[in-house]
Structure formats: structure tokens, C-alpha cells
Amino acid sequence: MKYLLKLLIIATLVSCQAKLNFPAQSEDNINLNTLTTLEIGENIIHLQDFILNPAEIDSITSSSRKLQIQLSNDKQIATLTAQKDMEQFVNIKIWIKGITYSLPCRKTDKTDYTFTYNPHGKTYEKVQIAGQMNDWTPAQTPDLHLNDKGLYELTMNLSPGTYLYQMVLNGDQSHDENNPDKVDNGFGKFNSILQITGSQDKLPVLYTSSYTNKKIIINSEKSVDQIFAYWQNYLLPENFIHKNGDEISIDIPEEARQISRSFIRMWAVNKFGISNDILVPLEKGQVLNDAKELTHTDKHAQIMYFMLVDRFKNGDKTNDFPLNRPDVNHKVDFWGGDLAGIQQKIDDGYFDKLGVNSLWISPVNQNPLDAYGWYEPMKTKFSGYHGYWPISSSKVDFRFGTNEEFKNLVADAHKHNIAVLLDYVAHHVHKEHPFYKEHPEWTTPLYLPDGTLNTERWDDHRLTTWFDTFMPTLDLSNPKVIDIMTDSAMYWLNEFNLDGFRHDACKHITEEFWRELALKMKKANHGRLPYQIGETYGSPKLISSYLTTGMLDGQFDFNLYDIANITFAGVGGGNFERVASVLQSGLYTYGNHNLMGYISGNHDKPRFMAYASGDIKFGEDAKLAGWMRNIGITDSTAYDKLLLFHTFNMTIPGIPVIYYGDEIGLTGGNDPDCRRMMKFDHLNNRQTKLLNGVARLGNLRKNNPVLIYGDFINLQTTPNTWVYARKYFNKEAIVFINNSDEKRTFETKLSAPLTTENFKPLNKTDFSINGNKIKISLPAYSAEVLY
């Protein structure tokens, strides 16, 4: 009888749960449809991004009469024309056989901003602006014109936020001498800072509050006129949403019980714009609140580690084949790192101890046996030790191992619940690749129509430029080439059971390539997409143009890295107020629960330690410095500063990325000096202390959903101190960072939605609580995380 009663209670609870009456397992309901920003005027939507087979679409409708929709005859394209007075948030419904899949959309927050430059009586033939508003390409915006007040002016349509820029006066580019707000750009000049304010302080703010088996409770601040809540790609009907003052209750649909991992998403709207996004993961219909339920397929839960295979660990000396040539400097020859070395570190638990659960491995394609390129100051050619000069699209370089070893490495990583991402090169091949030898017409021209060399034209010819004369750029506007290269990527994905890709040089590759690759992935995996992250240097607008359900999940946020790097290192004039501004702008652009990568460094940049220790002066030629002198660590406080940088990356939204060696404080100039051999043995006390600190942070994030899915709350910012919080229902984390050279005492008031209950310190710093205030003192260059 007790057993029957229990079954009856369960059945009753299930029957009482709200039901959508839409299929939970649909292929078009697996990947979350990206929040799409609509510009005023015409917007082109590629329906393949969101619907596996657009030919099945019956119709498309929207929640706004101020948005016109035109569906192409082949149903591949929807043209959305937004009026200026369109609502702040619009839901697009895509109808297929009576089922409606939704695409959340927001109206652009761009406004006309008139920029002026005072020439102080001088006249110029050409006055331009170059900055983050035009991807540092002056030709993308009109020239400034002289107005009747003697000022040069230009009206631009820009979103609120912070923009770095320089003036270009008759071709001479430098900072704006009229603007005292500037930051060192690391190349011997300054970038000026333009701040455009908006209505951010009037937008609704949402926080997760509590939950039951059937409901999620959200608290709101500021006025809320409308609520849009989604389960996966289904808009929840009004009867699923209950508002009582500042409390919003969302019913969890019964269909969520049929899927291991699904999500509730939510936005609130008022006349000024939309709120931060809420993202709540569900485990078979129940709110996920235990990290043990996470697996290596949970994209948001990644803690990524990037290594260059050749420079990580030599696990098999029988495959060592350096060039050993007088015209190849030792720094750019093969050093012996291989797949066997990586597997040994997986097996000995190195990544488990760090809390790392995702490995980004540099390209392993076969590279040429000869040397190429030339660096005049050192009179040297280069080997292909880095892996970015592919001459094969299917074979592992024998100096790294074999195809079978790579398969075993991935399988072994999965046993440790570690995902493996391969660095995939789609943009170019080496001139020894059969593609180029057999089909040179499959590449872009090396020479432009005016006869100039089309190399390193990063911005004005970004889709055709060659990186060097021996690296032909593939013509990825050619459908045949797209088909071959996407098939190549699919080979690596399927043959080695990879979990996704890091993609090289994204902005130099056409959108058609990314869409075709995503489509092939979905077709091969019942609609499911693996994680893909790209490399794009440029404005947030350019970076985000690749972030949609049918292209990439994320990109590396170099704009945040650039300001955070100099701020934590204590060089170049950065400060926390500027970092906070760029972070908030990024959270708006990419989402508060984005899948962007937040790096401690990479293989194309000087090591953090070199700047933080003062061994490389900010603004000097860091590449030349790495060649000409032995960069050491003369100021050991650099280790403390690097741990602060790790603390920041590990506690903000997004995917933290550790560049190999940054967990122990490797130093060096720019490429190739930033690619020294990894060190595992005979660490000094400072290296060991840093390693242990990074491991504490990694495991804290890995084991606490509040640092993975929690809402971000900025509490207190000064130029060199910062307090912010993460909140995920009843779990909270408060982060205190002291980036000054003296002890600082923090007295932080916590108001709703935060509490002061049950905190413990990660680094065992004493703190006190008096009412709703937390008091804590931190030594110079230190941090604490209360959780």
C-alpha cells in the first residue's frame, strides 16, 4: 500500500506540472537559439542557423506589428525590417507542422553620436578616426568634416560603451590630444578612450531567487513591463509566468523531464531596453544545483587549458626529429613535445588537480619537413613546430605521434571527464599541401589588382589576405572549397571523437564556411552541435557577428583581455573601472551567460609575467626583446599579480582559459619566446604557490554552479580594488580583489538579493560580518573569494 501510495503521489505531481504539448526531443529544440540583435531597417536571418531543414517551414510570425517579415521562396532567408519605434524585445515564431520554434530578438541600442575633433586652428586635407567603432579601419566610416564652429565632426551610430580610438590626420595616426582619457597601446603610442553613456541604469535587473520541483522564482529590480521566458526554443505561454510585485515565478514544463540537460531562459523588458539574461540548467526537469551532475559535454562548465603540443611534454623521444639546421634558430625548431606527453599528464592527474575539464590542443596535422619564412634580426627561418602550416588534412604529424595515439588520448581524456578541442586551420594550407599543388585556383590571389602583395592585409582585405607567401589562403567563397574543408573538419571530429574545435583566424573566413560546417555537424549528430570557439581580433560587433546558433558558440574576448592584462600587470595605465566597463559592455553584447573564452595569455602574445615583473617594458618590441635577451623575473610580486588575473578569469561569466605555463608563472617575450617548454619538476616556492592557488580556483569553479551559471553583480569598483558577486539561487560567491601595493580593508554592504550567511573563504582570510556588512582586509596584490 505504501508503494502504491508513493506512485500515486508521483503521478499526481507529474499530472499537475504545466505542459507545453510540444515535442521535447525535436532536432530543432536541442541547440539554444541565439538572442538576435535587430538593427533599424533591414536584417537578414539565415534560417538554417536555427532550423535543420528550412524547407519544412510553413510560416514565420512575430510578436510586433512594427517588424515586417519576408520569407524567401526557398525558405532559407527571412528578411526582417524593423521600424524605429519597434518594441525593445520581439519574439519570432517559426511555424513547422503546427509547432512553433522561437527566436528571441532585441532591438539595437545604438544611437546617433556626434564626435568632434578640435584642430586648434590647423586645417587638414583628411581627418579620420580609427578605433573599435570601425575595427581600426578608417575607410569603414566617413571622413570628419569641418563644421561652422571650426571643429571636425562625424555622426556615428554606436551602442553605449567604451571605445578605444586614435585620430588619423593626413595619414598620421596617433591619440586624440584633446582627450586626456587614454591608455598605453603597447606599441609606443596611446589609445584615446571614448565613453558613450546610455540608459543602462534604468534597465530591468533579474536574479535567481529560489526553486521547487515545478517552479523557478526570479527577483526583479527596476520597472518590468513584459517578460519573455523560454524552455529551450519554445516560448513559454503567459499561463506559465506569474508576477507578484518584484517576484516572478516560472513553471517548468513537464516536457523537460524527458531530456537530461535543458535550459530555462528569461528576459524582462521595459521602455528603456531589456534586462540581463537568466539561464537555469535543468537535469531531467529539475534545477541543476550539484556540480556532480555536470559532464564534459556541458559547455558552460568548461575550464579550458591550452597547450602547444611541441612545447608541453616530451613523452616519446623516438619521434624527436628536429631540423638541427644552422639557418633555423633553436627557438623555432621542434623541441620534442608530443601526444604521448599530453596523455601522460592526463593519466597522472595533472589536469584533474588543476580543476581543468577541457583541453585545447594546437593543430596536429602533418606540417612540412623543410623550413620557411624569415626573421631578419636573427637571420633565421622557421620550422612548423607550432602546427599551423598543414600539408595534410587527415594525418597526425609523425613528430607528435600517430592517428591511433590521438584516438587513445581523446578516449583517455573522456574517462577523466575532460573534453578535447582541436585547433583547426581552415583559412590556409602550406604551399606543399596537395590542395594547392593540384588546385592553385582554389586559393585567393597573392597579388591585388594594383600589383601590391596581398599579405598581412588584415583589415582592408581580410577575407583574401595571405599570412605569408608560402601559406596560400583558401578561397572560401568557392562552394567546392567550402565543401572540402568542412568535410576535413568533420573527419577530425568523427574519426577522433572530438568534443569541438578552436578555430584559427575566424574573421578571415567567410560566414558561408561556418554555416556549412555547423549544418554538417547537426546532420551528423541528430541536430546537436559540439562546442566551437573562434579567434577574432576586432570590435565586439565583428566578434559577435560570428556568434549564432548556426556558426560559433564563442570567441576569445581579446578586448577584455587587453585591458585586464595591463591592469593586473600594473603597466600601461589600466585600472579596474575601465576593466569593469569593458566587462559590462561584453556581457551586454555576448550575454551574461556567454561561452566566450577569457584567457590568461596565448601563443601570440608576450607572457603576463614579463610585463608584471618589469622585465619587458610596456611599449617596447616584445618580439625582439624575447630574441635579444634572456627575459627573467626580477620582481617576484608578478606571481601574486598573475594569481589575481586567474582569480578574475575564474570568477566572471564565460569560459576561463589557462595558457600552458601560466599556472606556474612562465615568462617570456612575444612569439617565439612565449612558447618556452613547459616545466613540471623542480618548481621554486613561488611557482608552487601559484600552481596551488590556480588549482584552488579551478576546483572551486568546477565544483560550484554559482561560478558557472550564477548572475553577475558588480558591488564596488575603484581604480585598484574590486568587489563583485555571483548568485545562483541560494548559492552566492563574493570576490574581493586588491590590486594595489598596500594592504586594503574592504567594508562591503550586501543588500538584496545577496545575504551574509554561511560564507567560507577560499584562501582562509579572516573576515567579519556585522548585520549586512562584510569586513575583510587583504594584503597587497591579493584576493579572496567567499563562497
Side-chain angles (χ1 to χ4, degrees):
M1 286 296 293
K2 289 182 179 179
Y3 178 73
L4 289 174
L5 182 60
K6 185 176 181 180
L7 286 178
L8 181 61
I9 292 172
I10 293 173
T12 302
L13 288 173
V14 170
S15 66
C16 291
Q17 193 159 2
K19 208 171 181 183
L20 278 172
N21 295 314
F22 285 152
Q25 304 285 355
S26 166
E27 291 177 334
D28 295 320
N29 194 43
I30 294 175
N31 309 292
L32 299 182
N33 286 345
T34 314
L35 175 66
T36 300
T37 299
L38 299 179
E39 304 294 337
I40 304 304
E42 189 173 283
N43 300 265
I44 301 298
I45 303 296
H46 295 264
L47 294 169
Q48 174 189 296
D49 289 353
F50 312 105
I51 300 298
L52 188 59
N53 185 7
E56 296 180 345
I57 295 174
D58 296 316
S59 63
I60 302 178
T61 60
S62 87
S63 60
S64 173
R65 294 182 179 180
K66 306 297 177 66
L67 181 68
Q68 297 176 343
I69 301 176
Q70 181 68 44
L71 182 62
S72 65
N73 291 334
D74 62 4
K75 301 183 180 179
Q76 294 290 323
I77 299 293
T79 303
L80 310 183
T81 304
Q83 298 180 23
K84 193 171 184 179
D85 58 347
M86 185 185 77
E87 296 85 348
Q88 297 288 351
F89 194 100
V90 175
N91 182 68
I92 304 294
K93 285 187 176 181
I94 304 172
W95 295 77
I96 301 177
K97 298 176 182 178
I99 300 170
T100 56
Y101 301 98
S102 287
L103 174 61
C105 299
R106 65 181 174 189
K107 184 170 77 172
T108 181
D109 64 347
K110 289 180 181 177
T111 56
D112 286 341
Y113 176 84
T114 299
F115 175 86
T116 59
Y117 172 76
N118 188 346
H120 299 288
K122 296 180 182 179
T123 57
Y124 297 94
E125 292 182 7
K126 200 175 188 64
V127 178
Q128 300 170 292
I129 188 169
Q132 292 177 323
M133 64 285 291
N134 59 9
D135 291 312
W136 298 96
T137 307
Q140 287 192 11
T141 48
D143 295 351
L144 280 72
H145 66 274
L146 194 64
N147 65 20
D148 55 7
K149 297 180 180 178
L151 303 176
Y152 288 93
E153 71 173 36
L154 172 65
T155 299
M156 298 176 283
N157 196 235
L158 299 173
S159 295
T162 304
Y163 298 85
L164 299 180
Y165 74 97
Q166 292 181 335
M167 298 305 303
V168 186
L169 308 175
N170 289 347
D172 183 25
Q173 187 165 320
S174 190
H175 69 279
D176 183 351
E177 74 272 16
N178 298 308
N179 185 353
D181 199 5
K182 61 187 179 180
V183 62
D184 196 319
N185 71 356
F187 298 100
K189 290 187 176 182
F190 292 91
N191 291 329
S192 297
I193 301 172
L194 175 65
Q195 184 73 46
I196 298 178
T197 58
S199 304
Q200 295 94 325
D201 59 337
K202 299 176 182 178
L203 300 179
V205 181
L206 301 178
Y207 306 107
T208 49
S209 177
S210 61
Y211 62 90
T212 68
N213 288 339
K214 297 187 291 183
K215 292 183 183 294
I216 293 169
I217 310 300
I218 306 296
N219 285 338
S220 64
E221 291 182 2
K222 313 288 174 56
S223 64
V224 172
D225 299 332
Q226 204 171 5
I227 298 163
F228 290 83
Y230 299 79
W231 175 69
Q232 293 296 98
N233 295 324
Y234 297 134
L235 177 69
L236 296 180
E238 291 182 1
N239 62 302
F240 278 66
I241 303 169
H242 316 279
K243 190 173 185 301
N244 182 15
D246 294 335
E247 184 178 282
I248 304 166
S249 172
I250 308 293
D251 293 339
I252 301 173
E254 180 183 326
E255 287 84 351
R257 300 165 64 90
Q258 302 175 35
I259 301 179
S260 293
R261 178 74 70 251
S262 63
F263 295 89
I264 294 285
R265 292 184 292 167
M266 176 181 163
W267 289 269
V269 187
N270 65 18
K271 65 180 181 180
F272 299 105
I274 72 169
S275 68
N276 56 300
D277 59 286
I278 290 291
L279 179 77
V280 179
L282 305 176
E283 173 71 18
K284 294 183 178 177
Q286 301 295 303
V287 171
L288 187 153
N289 210 11
D290 186 347
K292 292 178 181 177
E293 296 173 334
L294 297 168
T295 73
H296 70 268
T297 62
D298 282 295
K299 297 179 181 181
H300 292 86
Q302 293 179 92
I303 299 173
M304 195 182 298
Y305 188 100
F306 167 45
M307 77 282 283
L308 281 171
V309 176
D310 182 63
R311 302 300 167 90
F312 187 65
K313 189 177 191 299
N314 190 341
D316 180 4
K317 295 187 182 298
T318 65
N319 60 25
D320 292 0
F321 293 97
L323 298 185
N324 281 336
R325 287 169 35 169
D327 60 342
V328 177
N329 189 288
H330 174 67
K331 282 191 173 184
V332 290
D333 203 349
F334 283 86
W335 285 8
D338 48 32
L339 297 174
I342 298 173
Q343 179 146 0
Q344 288 169 13
K345 298 314 291 180
I346 293 173
D347 291 341
D348 75 11
Y350 183 77
F351 301 112
D352 297 328
K353 292 172 187 174
L354 273 179
V356 165
N357 55 17
S358 181
L359 301 181
W360 155 22
I361 296 176
S362 61
V364 298
N365 308 59
Q366 183 65 51
N367 269 233
L369 304 182
D370 206 349
Y372 293 86
W374 183 252
Y375 185 60
E376 180 62 27
M378 297 303 295
K379 311 293 184 188
T380 186
K381 292 183 177 181
F382 298 78
S383 75
Y385 72 94
H386 42 67
Y388 290 95
W389 298 346
I391 64 169
S392 170
S393 296
S394 60
K395 184 179 180 296
V396 169
D397 195 309
F398 66 88
R399 291 161 292 198
F400 296 154
T402 65
N403 285 30
E404 194 62 30
E405 283 182 284
F406 193 28
K407 288 181 185 178
N408 293 337
L409 183 154
V410 175
D412 201 39
H414 289 169
K415 292 177 183 177
H416 286 253
N417 203 20
I418 295 174
V420 179
L421 311 177
L422 178 64
D423 201 323
Y424 185 73
V425 183
H427 170 265
H428 61 264
V429 293
H430 189 274
K431 69 178 184 178
E432 294 300 318
H433 197 295
F435 281 7
Y436 184 62
K437 287 185 171 183
E438 298 170 12
H439 294 280
E441 73 277 10
W442 286 356
T443 62
T444 61
L446 178 57
Y447 290 90
L448 296 169
D450 63 3
T452 58
L453 202 61
N454 187 17
T455 56
E456 300 186 8
R457 303 290 288 267
W458 311 124
D459 297 312
D460 56 341
H461 293 278
R462 68 180 176 90
L463 293 177
T464 64
T465 189
W466 289 32
F467 288 10
D468 211 325
T469 55
F470 57 88
M471 284 193 286
T473 291
L474 295 171
D475 180 7
L476 291 168
S477 67
N478 182 336
K480 177 67 174 176
V481 180
I482 291 174
D483 189 49
I484 290 171
M485 291 307 294
T486 51
D487 278 352
S488 167
M490 291 301 297
Y491 166 80
W492 289 96
L493 187 73
N494 296 327
E495 180 71 9
F496 301 97
N497 196 25
L498 297 170
D499 300 285
F501 293 116
R502 177 268 187 185
H503 288 292
D504 189 52
C506 281
K507 78 173 185 179
H508 302 292
I509 296 173
T510 62
E511 292 183 5
E512 289 81 3
F513 170 86
W514 302 120
R515 289 197 159 92
E516 181 65 17
L517 178 57
L519 180 62
K520 287 183 176 181
M521 288 175 169
K522 285 192 283 189
K523 286 182 176 179
N525 198 24
H526 305 291
R528 190 172 301 280
L529 284 169
Y531 180 71
Q532 296 190 89
I533 187 168
E535 175 206 38
T536 293
Y537 291 87
S539 67
K541 178 183 177 182
L542 178 63
I543 291 170
S544 62
S545 68
Y546 294 90
L547 305 181
T548 181
T549 310
M551 290 200 281
L552 302 178
D553 293 286
Q555 300 221 57
F556 300 103
D557 191 344
F558 293 116
N559 293 310
L560 182 61
Y561 166 81
D562 286 343
I563 186 61
N565 179 53
I566 64 173
T567 298
F568 284 104
V571 298
N575 66 70
F576 278 158
E577 291 171 336
R578 170 95 175 93
V579 178
S581 175
V582 176
L583 174 62
Q584 291 290 356
S585 178
L587 293 179
Y588 176 82
T589 302
Y590 313 123
N592 287 68
H593 297 87
N594 64 71
L595 291 166
M596 299 287 285
Y598 296 95
I599 63 173
S600 62
N602 74 14
H603 54 317
D604 295 325
K605 296 182 178 294
R607 290 277 186 175
F608 174 93
M609 291 292 290
Y611 284 135
S613 67
D615 289 271
I616 289 183
K617 302 303 178 187
F618 199 71
E620 74 168 303
D621 186 336
K623 179 184 286 288
L624 185 63
W627 281 105
M628 302 303 294
R629 63 180 192 265
N630 184 22
I631 307 296
I633 300 173
T634 55
D635 183 355
S636 64
T637 58
Y639 290 99
D640 301 322
K641 295 176 180 179
L642 181 50
L643 185 58
L644 294 190
F645 197 6
H646 284 299
T647 301
F648 174 69
N649 284 339
M650 289 283 190
T651 56
I652 61 173
I655 311 299
V657 184
I658 303 169
Y659 179 43
Y660 85 95
D662 281 347
E663 72 270 36
I664 61 170
L666 283 188
T667 191
N670 206 339
D671 166 22
D673 198 36
C674 58
R675 304 173 179 185
R676 299 180 185 183
M677 201 70 185
M678 180 57 185
K679 183 178 179 181
F680 297 101
D681 302 315
H682 309 295
L683 302 182
N684 63 39
N685 291 337
R686 294 307 303 261
Q687 290 171 326
T688 300
K689 181 181 178 182
L690 177 59
L691 178 64
N692 291 337
V694 174
R696 283 196 304 275
L697 287 165
N699 282 282
L700 176 70
R701 183 182 181 102
K702 181 179 179 179
N703 295 313
N704 288 275
V706 65
L707 292 175
I708 301 170
Y709 299 108
D711 317 311
F712 182 85
I713 304 170
N714 195 35
L715 295 175
Q716 179 183 324
T717 312
T718 72
N720 52 25
T721 65
W722 200 350
V723 185
Y724 56 85
R726 303 290 301 278
K727 176 175 170 56
Y728 182 69
F729 296 108
N730 62 331
K731 305 290 179 64
E732 297 171 4
I734 314 294
V735 182
F736 300 84
I737 303 178
N738 176 16
N739 196 39
S740 73
D741 59 2
E742 58 186 15
K743 177 180 177 180
R744 291 294 173 92
T745 297
F746 297 78
E747 291 191 39
T748 302
K749 180 180 179 181
L750 300 186
S751 55
L754 300 171
T755 65
T756 55
E757 298 179 4
N758 303 320
F759 284 127
K760 54 185 176 182
L762 176 67
N763 299 320
K764 302 188 182 338
T765 307
D766 290 334
F767 67 97
S768 62
I769 296 177
N770 184 9
N772 64 348
K773 286 186 178 180
I774 296 179
K775 184 176 182 180
I776 189 169
S777 295
L778 295 179
Y781 303 118
S782 68
E784 185 56 274
V785 182
L786 303 183
Y787 67 103

